[in-house]
Amino acid sequence: MNRLKVLYVSNEAGVGGAMQSMLDMIVSLREYVSPVVILPSEGVAEGLLKEREIVYYIVPFVLAYGAIGKYTQSIADDIFVNNYQAAMKIADIAETEGTQLIHTNSIVVNVGAMAALIKGIPHIWHVREFLEEDFSTELYDRDWTCKLFEQSGGFISISDCIRKSFSEKYGLLSTQIYDGFDTDRYKRDLTEVANDIDTFLLAGYMDSGKGQWEAVRAMEILIRSGEKSPRLILAGGGKKKYVWGLQHYIREKGLQEYIFVLPPQKDLSALRACCGFSLTTSKMEALGRVTVEAMLAGHIVIGANTGGTMEIIGEKGERGYLYQQGKPSDLASVMKKAMSASAETAFEMRKKAQEFAMSFFDFKGYAKKVLEQYERVLSKKRCGFKELIRDMDYRYERLSGNYGSKAEIKLGTGNGWRKQALLFERWLRLKQQGYSLDAYCKKNYLMQVAIYGMGYLGCCVYDELENGGIVVSYAIDKDSGSLEDSIKMVRPEDDLESVDAVIITVAKEEYELKAYLEKRCPYKIVQLSEIIGWMEKKVALIQWWENRSIMGAVKE
């Protein structure tokens, strides 16, 4: 049997939920499809593709979305030019591989649809995300993306709530198909699941939209009310600022005995065996892959009463417990209720949830439904695309002459990360020699400071100063990243309370920031690079003094 040649375009090179679901989809279709994958960069997904012997190419492109309110036409034009060039490369790969269909794994990726236009290949889109509702983001260059939507052969929505949302926003119909799972991989024998493990697992990416703060506060409420048995495990990667804020709050409130923050886990099966419950606290989950995995593993799931989470658990809580999203007190109450349920009640709920997951998310049924969509798209007559190709080519020709270094800055490929990495390396070398930042502060009588910039460096500086006895009164940042739940945050334009010094931890444009702050307030303004430079000179002098006698002996 000749297999259909499909080119899949991924929105990530990591192993988030979208990538895992795409890999599962490809594996379920291997009997019928010859896959090729496009990744936007190098990443851990490469290893998974190699393990499965899936051909892949790396073609850098830009995701066509961003924070609400930050959109400008200039940014949209830069993204368009960048992605037009990427689409041309993908079109060449499609021709080389004999591609018959292009399948894009996310609506924030437009290069697959553009390459399909260029080569006249049918295209299908997977709709996997809420944007505004879950991540406070929106499509950039929306008009152009909507034109691509209209020319695509079809759409697959991963849940019914996503199907309805997509239709309301864009006026387009999609087919709802739940993601397929290798259910045997996650399924556990329910008779082996203990009923007396009051440990809750919240797995997945850590971000303000995913609700880890609600879980932490709910646990705090339970502990303060006298409950001492529950434990909470947070497992997953995330934005440094957000994760640091959670860890800082847990320490400040003395909850380390009850709440544990773990890095991303390649396999959650061992952790799930140690837990009896799973939490899904996302503000508006599109589907909830970890929710389904938890059901298969025999966990009782407690989830927010929104989006795909409520769809999976059931509006009346048939397959788990629902709580009022945004209310940690209600989550705490539901967690307590779940822990106090009888063994018989708990077993029946686990059974219903597992049977539902086995029935609706099975590989075989999923593959059949996706193939039906492929056949429909391939048989669909295309019209009107030639005019859109002309518009695309004309726009590129008009913009490409003005395309240059400004896009490099706007699309985040400048030298800020390099400067930060070099600064961190210098700091690490000082740490290895036993020197910390508080030495500078104490030498210069800076016992109460503020930190400007709570990115990766800022979070690390906060910890080191705090551990060294320096009071960090507040932090200054344009984006709080939910840190206001953990520490005092102010914006750069706000009134800056009196401190001994403001320490700038932003590596890029640090001199401009220093000049700006010196006009704003009378306090000492010092850059992290200045502190590190001062420490390096001090260390050099100490080493010279200690080695003086040795050098003298050598000369003699």
Side-chain angles (χ1 to χ4, degrees):
M1 181 183 74
N2 292 327
R3 293 189 295 170
L4 181 67
K5 295 183 178 181
V6 181
L7 187 146
Y8 296 89
V9 185
S10 172
N11 63 308
E12 60 175 334
V15 193
M19 172 58 76
Q20 291 182 57
S21 296
M22 189 186 79
L23 287 174
D24 284 344
M25 175 174 63
I26 291 173
V27 170
S28 72
L29 293 167
R30 283 302 282 269
E31 184 180 346
Y32 315 98
V33 168
S34 177
V36 173
V37 172
I38 300 295
L39 298 177
S41 65
E42 297 178 347
V44 293
E46 293 181 79
L48 298 178
L49 291 168
K50 289 175 182 176
E51 286 176 12
R52 292 160 176 78
E53 298 182 342
I54 298 172
V55 176
Y56 71 91
Y57 294 84
I58 296 174
V59 180
F61 57 82
V62 181
L63 301 182
Y65 82 118
I68 293 174
K70 302 296 184 181
Y71 170 83
T72 66
Q73 187 58 47
S74 177
I75 290 175
D77 289 343
D78 289 338
I79 292 174
F80 175 84
V81 173
N82 185 300
N83 285 357
Y84 180 96
Q85 295 170 349
M88 292 294 288
K89 294 176 183 176
I90 293 171
D92 289 341
I93 292 169
E95 182 174 2
T96 300
E97 296 290 343
T99 299
Q100 297 167 275
L101 175 71
I102 295 178
H103 186 151
T104 297
N105 201 43
S106 167
I107 63 169
V108 301
V109 176
N110 60 26
V111 291
M114 292 168 71
L117 268 182
I118 293 167
K119 281 298 174 185
I121 299 171
H123 178 266
I124 191 168
W125 233 307
H126 227 113
V127 189
R128 296 190 177 278
E129 58 276 283
F130 289 111
L131 293 177
E132 295 86 350
E133 303 90 336
D134 195 9
F135 299 105
S136 297
T137 57
E138 61 182 340
L139 285 177
Y140 284 1
D141 207 4
R142 181 186 171 109
D143 290 345
W144 171 244
T145 301
C146 286
K147 289 178 181 179
L148 293 174
F149 282 165
E150 291 168 3
Q151 278 300 317
S152 286
F155 304 86
I156 297 174
S157 289
I158 63 172
S159 63
D160 199 49
C161 60
I162 281 288
R163 179 188 64 79
K164 291 176 182 176
S165 173
F166 185 73
S167 177
E168 290 169 1
K169 288 179 183 177
Y170 306 106
L172 296 167
L173 299 178
S174 63
T175 301
Q176 187 268 311
I177 305 176
Y178 286 132
D179 284 338
F181 286 74
D182 181 357
T183 52
D184 291 336
R185 174 185 170 189
Y186 301 103
K187 184 181 178 184
R188 288 175 63 201
D189 185 344
L190 296 183
T191 60
E192 298 177 357
V193 179
N195 285 313
D196 58 349
I197 302 178
D198 293 340
T199 302
F200 297 80
L201 175 64
L202 202 173
Y205 190 74
M206 298 191 196
D207 184 69
S208 57
K210 296 302 182 181
Q212 283 85 6
W213 272 111
E214 288 187 21
V216 168
R217 288 197 176 113
M219 278 293 294
E220 184 181 8
I221 292 169
L222 287 173
I223 301 306
R224 301 290 181 250
S225 69
E227 296 284 342
K228 299 301 180 184
S229 64
R231 299 290 186 273
L232 170 65
I233 298 173
L234 304 176
K239 295 180 179 178
K240 171 65 180 179
K241 187 184 299 185
Y242 185 79
V243 177
W244 180 88
L246 289 169
Q247 294 171 320
H248 186 269
Y249 187 86
I250 292 166
R251 291 195 304 270
E252 287 291 300
K253 299 298 181 179
L255 299 171
Q256 304 97 312
E257 182 183 346
Y258 306 99
I259 305 176
F260 308 92
V261 181
L262 303 180
Q265 307 293 304
K266 186 176 182 181
D267 185 356
L268 287 167
S269 57
L271 269 182
R272 288 198 174 102
C274 301
C275 303
F277 305 89
S278 277
L279 300 180
T280 303
T281 53
S282 297
K283 184 165 59 176
M284 183 67 75
E285 191 69 53
L287 175 65
R289 181 185 178 89
V290 291
T291 306
V292 179
E293 292 177 4
M295 287 177 164
L296 290 168
H299 280 193
I300 291 177
V301 179
I302 300 172
N305 61 341
T306 58
T309 303
M310 184 166 67
E311 190 173 322
I312 295 173
I313 292 176
E315 293 186 12
K316 297 180 180 179
E318 299 94 321
R319 299 173 288 273
Y321 293 93
L322 295 172
Y323 78 95
Q324 183 65 44
Q325 191 275 326
K327 293 187 176 181
S329 58
D330 190 49
L331 175 55
S333 177
V334 174
M335 290 167 71
K336 187 173 182 178
K337 178 182 178 181
M339 289 188 291
S340 62
S342 67
E344 293 78 13
T345 299
F347 182 83
E348 282 302 312
M349 184 169 284
R350 289 187 173 102
K351 184 179 178 183
K352 285 182 181 179
Q354 191 180 74
E355 288 175 348
F356 171 81
M358 291 291 292
S359 174
F360 283 85
F361 298 91
D362 180 60
F363 254 178
K364 293 181 180 178
Y366 178 62
K368 181 180 178 181
K369 292 175 182 178
V370 173
L371 279 174
E372 288 174 355
Q373 294 305 304
Y374 285 178
E375 291 170 1
R376 186 184 66 80
V377 171
L378 288 166
S379 63
K380 191 174 181 180
K381 187 177 180 181
R382 303 175 72 224
C383 59
F385 65 93
K386 291 183 179 179
E387 183 178 344
L388 188 58
I389 292 174
R390 285 196 298 269
D391 291 345
M392 180 171 65
D393 291 342
Y394 172 75
R395 184 181 177 188
Y396 176 74
E397 290 170 5
R398 177 172 58 84
L399 293 172
S400 57
N402 297 322
Y403 183 72
S405 58
K406 61 173 185 154
E408 183 180 43
I409 296 171
K410 289 178 179 174
L411 301 181
T413 57
N415 63 357
W417 282 106
R418 177 173 173 77
K419 290 180 69 176
Q420 177 175 292
L422 292 172
L423 194 58
F424 195 83
E425 180 185 349
R426 291 167 61 194
W427 182 11
L428 178 60
R429 292 187 182 282
L430 290 166
K431 290 286 291 180
Q432 289 171 335
Q433 297 176 77
Y435 299 96
S436 58
L437 301 179
D438 59 277
Y440 173 89
C441 293
K442 291 171 182 176
K443 175 70 174 178
N444 292 276
Y445 305 103
L446 309 178
M447 302 306 294
Q448 189 173 358
V449 303
I451 294 176
Y452 187 105
M454 287 301 289
Y456 187 81
L457 279 173
C459 293
C460 294
V461 169
Y462 194 112
D463 285 337
E464 178 149 324
L465 293 180
E466 190 175 54
N467 292 336
I470 306 300
V471 176
V472 182
S473 298
Y474 57 91
I476 309 164
D477 204 306
K478 290 183 289 187
D479 176 17
S480 69
S482 298
L483 283 182
E484 69 274 4
D485 296 311
S486 178
I487 61 175
K488 184 174 181 179
M489 294 290 301
V490 302
R491 295 177 62 82
E493 61 269 23
D494 294 339
D495 291 335
L496 305 179
E497 295 178 10
S498 177
V499 288
D500 296 327
V502 176
I503 299 175
I504 298 173
T505 66
V506 180
K508 190 176 180 181
E509 298 174 350
E510 57 181 336
Y511 295 101
E512 292 85 347
L513 286 172
K514 183 175 183 178
Y516 167 76
L517 289 172
E518 285 176 338
K519 293 177 182 177
R520 289 285 324 279
C521 59
Y523 325 130
K524 182 180 178 66
I525 310 297
V526 61
Q527 300 155 217
L528 178 59
S529 59
E530 290 181 74
I531 298 176
I532 291 175
W534 178 88
M535 292 171 64
E536 287 172 333
K537 290 178 182 177
K538 181 180 177 181
V539 171
L541 285 171
I542 291 172
Q543 291 174 342
W544 173 81
W545 183 263
E546 290 176 345
N547 293 330
R548 222 173 27 142
S549 58
I550 298 175
M551 294 303 294
V554 170
K555 288 180 181 179
E556 292 177 4

